[in-house]
Amino acid sequence: LDLLTGQPRVEDEVLYAMAMVAPYCALGGPYAYRAKLTPGPGKKGQMARQCLRMFDAQTDRQAWKLLVQAIPENDAASLMMGSCKVSMPGMQKLQQQLQKDKKRDKQEPGKAPAR
């Protein structure tokens, strides 16, 4: 089990990423990407999608992005509690960046942005 890690180094060859659920305090040190789930109004499928999008936005290496994108949403959702809300460090900043990226992608390539 020495080959499994929650904090891969830059020189490591990462072959697979998987979703896990554990007490948040247990994930503090050994895991680079983590989100806190608390009881709330959100459906677990939506929250799983949101977590995976946030992890994708946090990941800077393209090979790791592909691994995060390959995690099935159903697998992540099946691990979560029924109704929950997600919180993570820097979540608001990441959500704002994702919204800006989405708006930029919606604009047609030849048009200047409307102000």
Side-chain angles (χ1 to χ4, degrees):
L1 291 178
D2 292 337
L3 300 175
L4 296 177
T5 181
Q7 292 180 327
R9 288 180 260 143
V10 176
E11 65 271 5
D12 288 343
E13 181 183 356
V14 179
L15 301 175
Y16 187 75
M18 64 184 195
M20 297 176 27
V21 174
Y24 190 75
C25 59
L27 301 176
Y31 295 94
Y33 305 106
R34 61 188 184 276
K36 185 176 184 176
L37 303 176
T38 54
K43 294 182 180 179
K44 64 182 183 178
Q46 292 172 338
M47 296 300 108
R49 226 173 288 119
Q50 182 180 3
C51 284
L52 292 174
R53 278 197 319 255
M54 294 299 158
F55 294 152
D56 184 37
Q58 284 181 328
T59 307
D60 53 353
R61 293 188 57 194
Q62 186 61 30
W64 294 359
K65 275 186 181 280
L66 295 174
L67 292 173
V68 170
Q69 292 168 357
I71 297 173
E73 288 179 14
N74 290 339
D75 288 356
S78 67
L79 298 172
M80 293 182 168
M81 64 180 97
S83 297
C84 62
K85 68 177 183 177
V86 176
S87 58
M88 61 185 352
M91 185 169 160
Q92 282 184 328
K93 187 176 181 181
L94 284 171
Q95 284 180 330
Q96 290 171 354
Q97 184 63 38
L98 286 173
Q99 288 175 355
K100 285 180 185 178
D101 292 345
K102 189 184 281 188
K103 285 181 184 179
R104 186 177 53 223
D105 290 344
K106 281 185 179 181
Q107 290 178 353
E108 294 177 2
K111 280 190 165 181
R115 294 187 188 236

